Amino acid sequence: MAGLLLAPLLAACGAAGPGDDAPSAGSVGAAPAATSWAPAPRRAQGLRVLAESGPRGFALHTRSGAKTFLPGINLGSSTPGHQPGEVQHIDAATYRGWFAQMHALHIRVVRSYTLHPPAFYDELARFNRAHPSSPLYLVQGVYLPLEDYNQPGRTLYTRAIDTAFTRELRQVSDAVHGDLVRPAVPGAAGGTYRTDVSPWVASWIVGVEWDPVGVAQTDRAMKRAAYRPGRYFAAPRGATATERWIARHMDQLATAEAKRGVSVPIAAANWPTADPLRHPTEPLASEDAVSVDAMHLLPTRAWPGGTFASFHAYPYYPDFQRSEKGLDATRWEGEPDRYAGYLRSLQRHFASRMPLVVSEFGVPSSIGSAHDGTRGRDQGSHSEQEAMAMDASMLRMMRSLKLAGGFVFSWEDEWFKRTWNTMEHTDPERRQLWHDPLTNEQWFGVVATDTEQVPDAAAELVPTDGEVEYVHVWGDHSFVHLEVTGRERTPTRLALDADVVPGPERADYRLRLDREADTAQVQVRKALDPIRLDTPGVPYRPDADAEWHDYALITNRSLQGRPAEFDQVGRLVRGSWDPEDPDYDSMATWTVDDAHRTVKVRLPWSMLGLADPSARLALGEGSPAERVTIDGIDLSLDVDGTPAQLDFTWPTWTRVGYTTRLKAGTDGLAEAYRDLAP
């Protein structure tokens, strides 16, 4: 391995100058005069080098000098109503709109995890030619087409897995250079790629978040597999079988790019589960069982683009961040910050060879949460303003730590996503048809995807006497809305019983709202409590034997003597959920409109036990839970002593309606992008 050496980082040069198309003033604030981000590639080893990365850091060569920090955004491959494998449905107009919005937010780099349809590359080139001094650079990903290397008897070296990745690497390289024709097949983009976007490719990130079971199987079974170092990338002595496999495929991509005459950094995806550090306080053995070390995936002298360590690193998982000794020695914004401490420990590990890029991070603006995080950065239960402020702060933190980049996850909310503490409550085949407020993974976007009312999903009641003048119930693709108007005054106390699944019980879920006490609580009948599905612990919560349970999500199972942790999502939040309201709070689920004598409540479908409202599929009893197709929900109300009854039903659906908008608080994130990439 004597030939292994990271390419030296060339000194930055070039006169700074104003961009010819600096973003204008708008809803996210006016930008100062910007320096030019026009590409200014160098020549090295006979190759065109737009960017390079090594011991001295990262450098993207532009006309105004080297840009050493990439503040970016991750772009997924789905829109509401679609699974990610249906990427082919995204059209040119959608990409055109996205790129314009990114530009207005001062975003300089977009990361794609996989190959998009030709329209993505056509529109990216069109946009960049129209904005030569402030183009949108691309970090292109290459996903593993077959991910079953963690199944019994299989490894990364399994022929089908190995050859599929080799083919994908070469084809994505061809597509980026505008030289590919391949059919679109389920799960992958295709078409005729004739647009060369390589002048704006800042780097590549290949592979996946490596599964610990699959890595362990590969390392054991293929420990003595033959290995020959590549011309451009090689694994040194002592590398694991997994690392040798990744290095070989990084070399395949570099070979394809070198044939096109270009070299930029190539990195492998990774995450804390497979980081090279030891975490003795981690309570889950699987989260510290294997290592995939970028220090064993090294470029040779022939590859001037170099490499970097790429990590999907979030501030709330794994658990070692909350307890590991020494992480709180790093401070941010005047406080000890364990997330910053973890990033610094990673950075120190790689510093002698390469910089660190946090290629995925963020917090979601969901009502539900799945884990407690550092300094309140939980995996959910954040308003939009809180989530955007946290993302902006973490992006600035990464620059302050002298990392080479930070990529916010993600551009737009993704309805198809699942998370561990709600996935057993829902139908995995149809998650993309509704937007579950309790599934945090669906709410990471900078762009909100607001649901529209489901057609014909409404019921009303107009009593002729009593305290209640009008009751209106209706549904959108996230919530069931209940609006109760008093005859003479605004209701003070409201009790709602919801009979969802067939059986002798007259209520399966219930709401108790008291306006004077300023409280509203949702409860679930013991036999239907979904927490029973998410943990093997018995009893699974302190009040497990009570007939009614306050609706909650479990956010951490009981581990190594530590008590289980819960998110009390059934404790409803009072406020306005109108995005046009200056006091808008995306966490709000009940409000009072005294001008119209009305109390309004919105309950997530999942908080009423729907596993799939689009098919009227409810979560039944048992473990695993029975799935029950229902006709509707019987609602019994008591409003200040006046009873009311109505049936709420709705049609099934296979198409969704939605609108998009920038989330509240995005102006602060845009300011961070602007400051970090002027």
Side-chain angles (χ1 to χ4, degrees), residues 145-357:
L146 300 177
E147 295 186 80
D148 58 346
Y149 64 99
N150 60 354
Q151 296 304 303
R154 298 177 76 80
T155 72
L156 287 167
Y157 289 75
T158 298
R159 181 180 296 275
I161 296 170
D162 184 85
T163 57
F165 194 42
T166 295
R167 181 173 58 251
E168 188 73 2
L169 288 163
R170 291 170 178 165
Q171 290 188 351
V172 176
S173 174
D174 289 343
V176 162
H177 291 276
D179 188 19
L180 176 70
V181 178
R182 79 174 188 182
V185 298
T192 300
Y193 295 80
R194 288 289 179 256
T195 300
D196 183 2
V197 298
S198 64
W200 302 285
V201 173
S203 73
W204 295 77
I205 299 177
V206 304
V208 295
E209 296 176 339
W210 307 104
D211 180 84
V213 173
V215 170
Q217 288 178 179
T218 298
D219 289 347
R220 285 194 304 267
M222 306 308 295
K223 182 177 181 178
R224 304 188 188 283
Y227 173 70
R228 177 180 298 176
R231 179 180 178 184
Y232 300 107
F233 276 87
R237 191 182 306 276
T240 66
T242 295
E243 291 162 347
R244 296 196 302 269
W245 186 90
I246 296 170
R248 175 162 56 85
H249 286 83
M250 292 170 72
D251 185 71
Q252 290 170 349
L253 176 58
T255 299
E257 287 295 288
K259 288 180 179 178
R260 302 282 185 180
V262 298
S263 176
V264 294
I266 297 175
N270 207 349
W271 59 329
T273 297
D275 76 17
L277 309 179
R278 300 303 301 166
H279 304 292
T281 64
E282 172 54 46
L284 283 176
S286 61
E287 296 297 336
D288 195 35
V290 299
S291 170
V292 177
D293 194 346
M295 295 288 276
H296 296 161
L297 311 171
L298 297 176
T300 69
R301 293 178 183 273
W303 189 250
T307 191
F308 54 86
S310 170
F311 271 81
H312 299 174
Y314 290 85
Y316 45 73
Y317 198 79
D319 265 329
F320 66 76
Q321 286 189 50
R322 297 165 62 183
S323 57
E324 186 167 308
K325 184 179 179 180
L327 293 187
D328 55 358
T330 302
R331 301 178 69 85
W332 174 244
E333 297 173 335
E335 296 184 34
D337 197 305
R338 290 182 162 275
Y339 177 59
Y342 173 59
L343 297 184
R344 174 160 282 171
S345 68
L346 277 177
Q347 181 187 39
R348 287 171 176 164
H349 177 83
F350 298 114
S352 65
R353 289 283 195 173
M354 66 192 73
L356 171 65
V357 171

Side-chain angles (χ1 to χ4, degrees), residues 551-586:
Y551 197 102
L553 296 175
I554 187 169
T555 56
N556 209 3
R557 300 181 179 108
S558 178
L559 296 169
Q560 296 184 357
R562 304 179 188 182
E565 297 170 344
F566 302 91
D567 179 18
Q568 299 296 333
V569 290
R571 192 176 300 152
L572 303 187
V573 175
R574 182 173 178 175
S576 171
W577 54 83
D578 178 3
E580 300 299 320
D581 191 325
D583 296 322
Y584 167 63
D585 183 354
S586 57

